[in-house]
Amino acid sequence: MSNSMKITAGQTSTRTLADLIRAMDGRRAATITYVDGKGEETVRTIEIHNVITTSKGGIVVRAMCRARGEMRTFSVEQIKAYTVHRIRFTLAVPAEKAEFPLAHLARTAQELVDMELERDYPQPKWVLVA
């Protein structure tokens, strides 16, 4: 992966997602240009831990933000440019901030599919009482 900024408007969303997922899988930091909720552009270096689809069909990135030192959520639609770095993750994820399952905890593709199905279609917990 090159270290030049990639403008998301100049490529498909599939390409953007593939690059961000590769960064997550390789545990490599990414710098993004992001439009926040106030419409202001901000540049952040993040460590991506999960890519999630929302109940409304949006796609969000859950990542540790190096500027804030905490877990943040970024809508993929609002990422205007990005670059993936060679540098590895440096931030630890605080246990209380890991409210979404972290994708890198799945060791196999089947475990990842099982995690996604459990999240989207939770099974009732049955307790047998004698």
Side-chain angles (χ1 to χ4, degrees):
M1 251 181 235
S2 82
N3 269 346
S4 62
M5 290 295 279
K6 293 184 180 174
I7 309 300
T8 57
Q11 64 185 25
T12 65
S13 58
T14 302
R15 172 71 188 269
T16 300
L17 279 171
D19 287 346
L20 295 176
I21 290 169
R22 269 196 292 281
M24 177 182 71
D25 288 345
R27 300 183 51 82
R28 299 195 183 279
T31 297
I32 61 171
T33 301
Y34 183 78
V35 178
D36 66 16
K38 299 174 193 168
E40 297 176 14
E41 258 189 25
T42 182
V43 176
R44 301 290 175 104
T45 298
I46 60 174
E47 299 175 0
I48 302 169
H49 288 276
N50 208 348
V51 177
I52 302 167
T53 54
T54 67
S55 60
K56 295 181 180 178
I59 301 173
V60 296
V61 169
R62 291 288 295 162
M64 288 296 292
C65 175
R66 287 189 174 174
R68 303 248 178 159
E70 57 190 31
M71 187 66 77
R72 308 292 286 196
T73 302
F74 301 93
S75 170
V76 172
E77 292 176 352
Q78 299 303 106
I79 297 174
K80 301 303 174 193
Y82 66 94
T83 188
V84 176
H85 302 287
R86 291 185 186 107
I87 190 167
R88 300 283 184 173
F89 288 4
T90 60
L91 300 175
V93 179
E96 69 274 6
K97 296 294 182 185
E99 62 260 16
F100 294 105
L102 300 178
H104 69 269
L105 293 179
R107 292 179 298 278
T108 67
Q110 185 60 50
E111 283 183 16
L112 181 59
V113 168
D114 291 344
M115 283 173 43
E116 292 293 318
L117 288 172
E118 176 62 29
R119 185 200 69 208
D120 294 340
Y121 306 101
Q123 299 296 315
K125 306 295 183 206
W126 300 98
V127 178
L128 297 177
V129 179

